[in-house]
Amino acid sequence: VTTKPIIATKSCSPKLPPIEQQEQNKDASSSLVVCNRRSFFGGSTTSAAAVALLLSTSVGLEPCDAFPNKISDKYDDRPKQRGSPPKDLGIAKRVDVIEDEQYVGLSICGPKPNCFSSTDRNDGYHSIPSWKWPTTDDGIDSIEKAFVQLEQVLKEYQPGQNNIDGGGFQIVKSDPKAGYLYVQFQALKNGYIDDFELAYIKDDDSTSNSNAVQIRSSSRLGYLDYGVNAKRINYIAAKLREKKWDAPGVDFSTHQSYASQNGILK
């Protein structure tokens, strides 16, 4: 006997959310990382077929728990939407979309107001100044020493500061000799991951940037970031200024559109 499969259908179309939420839903559905071991594998009713289905999908799996330095266990049972790891991080050749010229820099932010970068060209919307280490007699005399100090500052970062990054953080890659540092920060409730990079990019045509560190901080999912990337950059910049770095933060007077869209009060 041949049976036809039963196909479930919806009787009506749901009301569409605002455009920002649509963007977030689209990002989440296209790059959702299932991160709730207890609910997916730990339940007594989980079938072998369901487990096989998960393992056979193309969705990338990352560690599901928050980072060890998270501020609370309160939301451990909530599914986490970490997002797919970006494939274009690091120092590489980029293309200036305005002048159609190649340059070496960090990944381009794109149109969404949830990213800042000091290497984005012709993009005042996302562009921020680089940071410069002190080069006086009692300052830093090498790229390696600069990045050792940067790593130490980041190790002392306080998860939960200004109500962000409560899920903690993890230094994924640190290469002081090459001048590169990559850190992941996590939101406490939903597990959203933001990618943070610091890099030394040699400019053969300039001596003024010989002690400059380039910055990029970006959210993986969603349209808005509600000020998270700016708060993170400003916190780290303040810690560096205590060590005599020239480290400007995100100035909301020059990023008024970002501040307005993300509901940040000056």
Side-chain angles (χ1 to χ4, degrees), residues 3-265:
T3 59
K4 295 183 179 180
I6 299 175
I7 301 175
T9 60
K10 293 184 178 180
S11 59
C12 61
S13 299
K15 183 179 179 181
L16 289 176
I19 184 63
E20 292 86 355
Q21 187 62 46
Q22 291 183 51
E23 288 283 352
Q24 183 169 345
N25 292 343
K26 179 179 68 176
D27 287 343
S29 63
S30 64
S31 57
L32 173 64
V33 177
V34 178
C35 277
N36 191 333
R37 288 194 184 98
R38 186 175 302 176
S39 63
F40 208 98
F41 292 105
S44 59
T45 60
T46 302
S47 66
V51 174
L53 175 62
L54 174 66
L55 296 178
S56 66
T57 61
S58 59
V59 177
L61 295 180
E62 288 188 338
C64 292
D65 297 331
F67 297 127
N69 50 13
K70 63 185 177 181
I71 63 173
S72 172
D73 298 331
K74 183 177 180 181
Y75 301 100
D76 281 3
D77 287 336
R78 178 176 293 192
K80 302 293 188 260
Q81 298 181 32
R82 297 170 64 95
S84 297
K87 298 179 181 180
D88 59 349
L89 295 179
I91 303 168
K93 287 185 177 181
R94 314 291 178 181
V95 177
D96 186 329
V97 295
I98 303 297
E99 298 181 355
D100 195 27
E101 294 180 350
Q102 283 193 345
Y103 67 95
V104 177
L106 299 173
S107 182
I108 297 172
C109 277
K112 299 178 184 179
N114 62 7
C115 175
F116 290 102
S117 173
S118 62
T119 66
D120 274 19
R121 297 192 174 186
N122 296 310
D123 183 3
Y125 194 64
H126 300 93
S127 180
I128 56 174
S130 59
W131 294 338
K132 295 183 178 181
W133 66 78
T135 56
T136 55
D137 293 340
D138 58 347
I140 298 171
D141 59 7
S142 70
I143 299 169
E144 182 175 0
K145 289 181 180 179
F147 275 80
V148 167
Q149 188 170 86
L150 286 170
E151 182 177 358
Q152 186 58 43
V153 168
L154 283 163
K155 284 181 177 179
E156 296 172 357
Y157 184 86
Q158 294 296 316
Q161 65 86 14
N162 217 343
N163 296 316
I164 68 167
D165 300 331
F169 67 92
Q170 173 178 271
I171 296 177
V172 179
K173 182 176 181 179
S174 177
D175 189 344
K177 290 185 177 180
Y180 183 76
L181 189 60
Y182 169 42
V183 187
Q184 293 177 354
F185 293 88
Q186 187 170 28
L188 179 62
K189 293 182 181 181
N190 296 312
Y192 300 133
I193 292 288
D194 288 354
D195 299 290
F196 181 86
E197 296 175 280
L198 298 173
Y200 177 80
I201 301 176
K202 185 177 181 181
D203 187 349
D204 293 331
D205 298 326
S206 174
T207 57
S208 61
N209 289 327
S210 60
N211 63 326
V213 173
Q214 308 302 328
I215 313 119
R216 184 179 184 272
S217 184
S218 179
S219 301
R220 292 182 182 179
L221 298 176
Y223 180 78
L224 302 174
D225 72 355
Y226 301 100
V228 170
N229 286 286
K231 292 177 181 179
R232 180 183 306 119
I233 291 170
N234 288 350
Y235 179 91
I236 298 170
K239 295 299 181 182
L240 289 174
R241 290 195 296 271
E242 293 177 2
K243 298 182 180 296
K244 300 182 180 180
W245 282 60
D246 177 10
V250 176
D251 185 349
F252 296 131
S253 68
T254 57
H255 291 82
Q256 293 182 2
S257 180
Y258 169 86
S260 175
Q261 290 188 71
N262 284 289
I264 300 172
L265 298 176

